[in-house]
């Protein structure tokens, strides 16, 4: 207790603010919520301060040597109200709450280092060169700010909420940091030689790695910097303009594609569009307005994809839209219904089961793709009339494995590989109206190239329907009938 009081009195004597004193005394989370109560409980003050008002007056004359005025409580107290009244914040309707992103200048690390040297010398029983002497300045600031924001905004802190960006800067930072080149010249020589190093003088990670009491020479540091650091009278941190970033949310559903002239995503070749529209854009146009974003803020994912000339029928293909910077994290039932109806008006795409999902739910759509089964119906044509023998040969109940070399039609965008794929069943039917046509139902492993399964791609896929019936056969039309993925949850609207 006596040592704690001695440390506190010393820090106050060198113009360390009360919050920073508590940081160097390793205060707990609850203590930073009420500084006055924390110091009173520790017996460090007599309780004659009201939110540190008497001390704030002194801080205005002598800026804290550690935080450069960051923890002036009167200034911090206005932050939450500024956020609540900010028009940019008011446009977000997010029930999840908020989170904070605080940007602090590196000069605070430099001042912590100077105090670290000083405290290790003066109080070796308490402070060590190997262990940081304080609660990190950003952590302490968040403890204070988050508590106030929760109270004023009446919303919880949540990683799924609106991000409140709070930037701070220090006018004299470059001037204070520049002598570090003399303290540890090797660090900066290596940074200049490394082409991947950013143009900034030194990064936060580089400072934390190379500038600690055990990494640099104490005497050399003291030749260039005051230990303890001195007050920067009249010059402190300046808080920049608040900004806000909406949460990233995930909207899932299933889509049907009824057109044989529509790509799943925008089809670009050499920077030019190959066709107008896509499944992604058709869906996005009806969903974007509710979340207050543009189509460019979508990341579209699905359980596989069909070719431009292939329809997707049945229950549809599961998809997810990752929506970055959303203005709301809510999807009322009536809005979901309207979205489904608006997409349906396109006559080319329909969606169902539209709902919000969690990031961790994406494991369903992004993993185990090759373990899924896909169900297809193919309209095939033969060079000679279909016989009963052909039909029987294409009625296969037992699974078989074929080898597919990357098809010629996709070789420009796929690695040349031989891939084993399982076909679980084949069931063919002759067409009464056309003696040269077959309808074939196929259940196969996801990732199977069905067109090549039919015609063999000049022998690059085998066995194929062509090799099985020993006759020329090609595919005229293909539909995806079902996808073996029971996700997302089915909602019958």
């Amino acid at each position: 207790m006596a040592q704690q009081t001695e440390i506190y009195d010393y820090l106050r004597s060198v113009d360390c603010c009360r919050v920073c004193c508590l940081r160097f005394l390793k205060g707990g989370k609850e203590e930073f919520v009420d500084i006055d109560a924390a110091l009173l409980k520790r017996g460090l003050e007599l309780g004659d301060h009201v939110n540190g008002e008497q001390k704030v007056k002194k801080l205005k004359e002598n800026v804290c040597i550690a935080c450069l005025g960051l923890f002036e409580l009167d200034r911090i107290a206005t932050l939450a109200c500024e956020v609540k009244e900010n028009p940019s914040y008011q446009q977000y309707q997010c029930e999840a709450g908020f989170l904070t992103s605080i940007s602090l200048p590196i000069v605070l690390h430099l001042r912590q280092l100077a105090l670290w040297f000083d405290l290790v010398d003066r109080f070796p029983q308490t402070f060590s060169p190997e262990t940081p002497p304080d609660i990190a300045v950003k952590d302490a600031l968040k403890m204070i700010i988050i508590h106030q924001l929760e109270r004023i905004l009446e919303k919880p802190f949540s990683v799924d909420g609106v991000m409140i960006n709070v930037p701070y800067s220090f006018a004299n930072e470059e001037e204070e940091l520049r002598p570090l080149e003399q303290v540890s010249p090797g660090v900066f020589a290596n940074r200049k030689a490394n082409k991947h190093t950013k143009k900034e003088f030194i990064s936060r990670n580089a400072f934390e790695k190379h500038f600690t009491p055990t990494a640099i020479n104490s005497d050399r540091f003291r030749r260039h910097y005051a230990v303890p650091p001195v007050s920067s009278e009249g010059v402190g941190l300046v808080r920049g303009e608040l900004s806000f970033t909406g949460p990233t949310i995930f909207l899932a559903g299933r889509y049907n594609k009824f057109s044989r002239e529509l790509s799943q995503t925008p089809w670009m070749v050499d920077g030019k569009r190959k066709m107008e529209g896509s499944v992604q854009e058709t869906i996005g146009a009806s969903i974007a307005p509710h979340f207050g974003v543009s189509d460019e803020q979508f990341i579209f994912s699905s359980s596989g994809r069909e070719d431009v000339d292939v329809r997707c029928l049945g229950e549809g293909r599961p998809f997810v839209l990752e929506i970055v910077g959303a203005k709301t994290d809510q999807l009322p039932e009536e809005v979901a219904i309207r979205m489904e109806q608006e997409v349906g008006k396109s006559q080319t795409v329909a969606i169902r089961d539209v709902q919000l999902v969690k990031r961790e739910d994406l494991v369903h759509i992004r993993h185990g793709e090759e373990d899924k089964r896909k169900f297809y119906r193919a309209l095939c044509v033969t060079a000679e009339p279909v016989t009963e023998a052909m039909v029987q040969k294409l009625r296969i109940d037992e699974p078989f494995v074929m080898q597919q070399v990357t098809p010629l039609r996709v070789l420009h965008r796929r690695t040349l590989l031989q891939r084993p794929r399982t076909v679980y069943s084949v069931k063919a039917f002759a067409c009464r109206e056309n003696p040269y046509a077959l309808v074939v139902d196929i259940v196969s492993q996801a990732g199977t190239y069905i067109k090549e399964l039919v015609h063999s791609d000049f022998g690059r896929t085998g066995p194929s329907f062509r090799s099985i019936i020993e006759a020329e056969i090609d595919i005229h039309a293909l539909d995806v009938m079902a996808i073996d993925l029971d996700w997302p949850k089915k909602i019958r609207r």
Side-chain angles (χ1 to χ4, degrees):
M1 186 67 176
Q3 177 84 88
Q4 175 180 257
T5 302
E6 187 179 352
I7 293 170
Y8 180 78
D9 289 342
Y10 171 70
L11 289 172
R12 294 297 285 145
S13 72
V14 295
D15 284 328
C16 220
C17 73
R18 299 162 70 236
V19 177
C20 284
C21 289
L22 189 58
R23 289 198 302 113
F24 284 98
L25 293 173
K26 299 293 182 78
K29 178 180 179 180
E30 294 303 319
E31 291 185 289
F32 287 100
V33 170
D34 190 339
I35 303 297
D36 296 322
L39 297 177
L40 182 63
K41 186 176 181 179
R42 286 173 176 253
L44 299 173
E45 292 191 353
L46 301 177
D48 57 347
H49 299 84
V50 179
N51 288 327
E53 186 173 340
Q54 293 181 16
K55 298 299 181 184
V56 169
K57 291 180 180 178
K58 182 178 180 181
L59 285 173
K60 289 180 180 178
E61 299 171 3
N62 297 299
V63 177
C64 173
I65 61 170
C67 72
L68 294 171
L70 177 67
F71 290 113
E72 288 187 17
L73 297 180
D74 283 352
R75 292 172 60 189
I76 293 177
T78 65
L79 175 64
C81 292
E82 288 181 41
V83 170
K84 185 175 183 178
E85 296 167 3
N86 193 300
S88 295
Y89 173 77
Q90 292 172 357
Q91 64 182 325
Y92 293 95
Q93 303 296 322
C94 295
E95 294 302 316
F98 69 90
L99 71 160
T100 58
S101 174
I102 299 172
S103 175
L104 297 175
I106 296 175
V107 71
L108 296 183
H109 290 276
L110 174 60
R111 287 177 167 263
Q112 178 226 38
L113 178 60
L115 265 171
W116 193 348
F117 274 120
D118 186 39
L119 293 172
V120 167
D121 286 347
R122 293 178 183 275
F123 305 101
Q125 313 94 312
T126 304
F127 298 99
S128 161
E130 289 80 24
T131 306
D134 59 347
I135 300 295
V137 63
K138 184 178 289 188
D139 292 341
L141 182 60
K142 283 188 174 183
M143 292 176 200
I144 298 171
I145 287 179
I146 288 172
H147 172 73
Q148 294 185 0
L149 286 169
E150 286 183 325
R151 181 170 54 85
I152 298 297
L153 301 181
E154 298 180 320
K155 289 187 177 180
F157 176 85
S158 169
V159 294
D160 297 319
V162 178
M163 181 177 289
I164 302 169
N165 304 295
V166 189
Y168 288 89
S169 62
F170 182 59
N172 296 346
E173 179 167 61
E174 185 174 350
E175 180 184 336
E176 285 205 20
L177 292 178
R178 187 62 61 182
L180 288 174
E181 286 187 296
Q182 308 303 317
V183 175
S184 189
V187 172
F188 296 92
N190 293 336
R191 284 181 61 80
K192 291 175 182 177
N194 187 345
K195 64 180 181 179
H196 300 294
T197 303
K198 295 181 180 179
K199 292 182 179 180
E200 59 192 347
F201 180 70
I202 188 169
S203 69
R204 194 175 312 278
N205 287 341
F207 188 98
E208 292 176 349
K209 178 181 179 180
H210 298 292
F211 290 94
T212 65
T214 57
I216 61 175
N217 181 277
S218 173
D219 292 334
R220 185 183 297 166
F221 182 83
R222 291 168 189 266
R223 283 201 296 270
H224 297 280
Y225 290 104
V227 176
V230 296
S231 175
S232 181
E233 188 171 332
V235 180
L237 296 191
V238 176
R239 197 185 79 210
E241 183 178 354
L242 297 173
S243 62
F244 306 90
T245 306
T248 296
I249 63 171
F250 301 89
L251 182 142
R254 293 178 175 83
Y255 76 79
N256 293 114
K257 180 167 87 75
F258 305 119
S259 170
R260 296 194 188 277
E261 298 179 344
L262 189 68
S263 60
Q264 186 193 63
T265 55
W267 188 5
M268 309 289 289
V269 177
D270 296 329
K272 296 181 179 180
R273 291 195 71 122
K274 293 291 288 183
M275 60 175 52
E276 291 299 319
S278 65
V279 172
Q280 173 184 322
E281 290 166 305
T282 303
I283 295 173
S286 298
I287 289 175
H290 173 69
F291 295 103
V293 298
S294 65
D295 291 354
E296 289 74 25
Q297 290 171 266
F298 285 158
I299 299 174
F300 183 89
S301 304
S302 65
S303 179
R305 61 190 301 149
E306 64 284 318
D307 290 339
V308 169
D309 59 352
V310 176
R311 297 186 302 181
C312 184
L313 308 178
E315 293 289 320
R317 187 183 297 277
F319 73 91
V320 172
L321 284 178
E322 182 176 339
I323 304 171
V324 180
K327 294 296 191 298
T328 179
D329 59 2
Q330 301 298 299
L331 181 63
E333 180 68 7
E334 64 273 14
V335 174
I337 292 172
R338 186 168 66 248
M339 288 176 177
E340 294 180 357
Q341 292 173 340
E342 289 179 358
V343 173
K345 292 176 183 177
S346 70
Q347 302 296 310
T348 58
V349 179
I351 57 175
R352 69 181 75 192
D353 305 330
V354 171
Q355 58 197 276
L356 296 182
V357 297
K358 297 291 187 182
R359 184 186 294 272
E360 51 266 28
D361 293 331
L362 303 192
V363 65
H364 297 289
I365 206 167
R366 292 181 174 174
H367 298 284
E369 181 64 24
E370 292 190 359
D371 296 329
K372 299 169 186 172
R373 297 187 181 195
K374 303 290 175 74
F375 299 76
Y376 300 91
R377 177 162 290 171
L379 176 60
C380 301
V381 292
T382 56
E384 55 190 70
V386 174
T387 65
E388 180 63 23
M390 289 181 185
V391 173
Q392 291 304 318
K393 286 180 179 179
L394 291 180
R395 289 193 170 180
I396 306 170
D397 295 326
E398 293 298 320
F400 65 90
V401 176
M402 62 173 182
Q403 301 294 327
Q404 285 199 311
V405 177
T406 304
L408 294 174
R409 65 188 173 90
V410 300
L411 197 52
H412 65 286
R413 55 187 172 88
R414 290 284 188 270
T415 305
L416 179 60
L417 290 173
Q418 179 172 288
R419 301 173 178 85
R421 290 290 183 263
T422 300
V423 178
Y424 296 100
S425 67
V426 177
K427 193 168 186 179
F429 303 88
C431 293
R432 292 180 181 177
E433 297 83 3
N434 189 333
Y436 295 89
L438 280 168
V439 173
V440 187
D441 287 340
I442 306 159
V443 182
S444 71
Q445 178 183 358
T448 301
Y449 291 103
I450 299 298
K451 294 175 181 177
E452 285 67 27
L453 168 64
V454 173
H455 58 61
S456 87
D457 196 29
F458 300 100
R460 296 163 68 84
T461 288
S464 65
F465 290 180
R466 178 171 182 154
S467 66
I468 291 171
I469 67 173
E470 300 178 314
E472 289 188 24
I473 184 172
D474 206 344
I475 190 164
H476 179 72
L478 180 64
D479 291 334
V480 179
M481 304 303 295
I483 294 165
D484 185 22
L485 177 58
D486 190 20
W487 185 90
K489 179 179 66 177
K490 293 182 180 179
I491 304 172
R492 292 295 173 253
R493 294 188 170 103

